[in-house]
Amino acid sequence: LNITLGETNADGLAIALLGTVSVLSQTSGTLTDELVDLVHDTWVPLSKANLTGNPTLTNNAASTTWVEGTDYIVDKQAGLVKALSTGTIPNNTADAKFDCAYGALTGTEMKGATQSVVRAKFRLVGTNLADGTPVDIMVHDVTVSSDAAIDFMAADFATVPLPCRMNTPVGFTEPFTVKNYTPA
């Protein structure tokens, strides 16, 4: 069985990438003196994302304050800081101190390839394109083994291929049923 999701959510993507989905939650607050090791022109992750305030970056002794946009840049959405080789921050600066407010965020996080196999059940409800009647397909048990690439950099929303092997579960004589009917 091959299914291609034209639109997907976190659960569909997790199935395709043999991953697991968990809740992502961050309350608002302030990063104070978060230690970062800076290498020129290299993004360094901070412990928080969704930065909302004006960042401050100093050396460990707090005797030098560097200028955002000149000495370093910040990706506030992702929570990243980068020392610029054109600025005054010495390359390979250890334990610089980063301060900034951050906002709350909620969502999901999908960790890929955490499962060796994904078992699923699919119910596909739609219209028979040959005669316009309703169709209801129930696939009782499938093993998903994603073997196709997903282009995360595509210009349009990516389709998600789900190649599956159908199984006949205990209590059934078939791996799937197809109901094609005319409503009374």
Side-chain angles (χ1 to χ4, degrees):
L1 173 69
N2 287 314
I3 297 173
T4 300
L5 302 176
E7 297 177 14
T8 190
N9 58 18
D11 292 327
L13 190 60
I15 290 170
L17 297 175
L18 303 175
T20 52
V21 177
S22 60
V23 173
L24 179 63
S25 179
Q26 171 182 293
T27 58
S28 61
T30 304
L31 289 174
T32 304
D33 292 342
E34 180 161 336
L35 299 178
V36 291
D37 295 335
L38 302 171
V39 176
H40 282 168
D41 303 321
T42 302
W43 287 107
V44 177
L46 300 164
S47 63
K48 302 294 181 185
N50 191 28
L51 304 179
T52 57
N54 295 318
T56 303
L57 184 64
T58 65
N59 64 349
N60 187 273
S63 59
T64 302
T65 300
W66 293 300
V67 178
E68 182 185 12
T70 301
D71 298 316
Y72 68 97
I73 56 176
V74 177
D75 181 327
K76 289 185 173 186
Q77 178 182 342
L80 303 168
V81 62
K82 181 191 326 187
L84 301 173
S85 58
T86 56
T88 61
I89 299 172
N91 195 25
N92 297 315
T93 296
D95 294 337
K97 293 180 179 177
F98 185 87
D99 299 331
C100 192
Y102 57 89
L105 57 84
T106 59
T108 59
E109 177 179 44
M110 195 279 297
K111 295 180 181 178
T114 58
Q115 302 180 69
S116 60
V117 69
V118 172
R119 303 288 294 265
K121 177 188 294 190
F122 289 108
R123 183 165 186 194
L124 310 166
V125 179
T127 303
N128 182 330
L129 297 179
D131 62 11
T133 59
V135 65
D136 187 341
I137 302 170
M138 183 66 198
V139 184
H140 307 301
D141 182 36
V142 297
T143 303
V144 179
S145 57
S146 186
D147 61 357
I150 296 174
D151 186 357
F152 288 105
M153 301 301 286
D156 292 329
F157 289 109
T159 58
V160 178
L162 296 176
C164 306
R165 186 181 79 241
M166 291 186 284
N167 309 301
T168 302
V170 174
F172 290 86
T173 58
E174 73 287 336
F176 65 95
T177 58
V178 177
K179 295 177 183 175
N180 188 224
Y181 54 90
T182 302

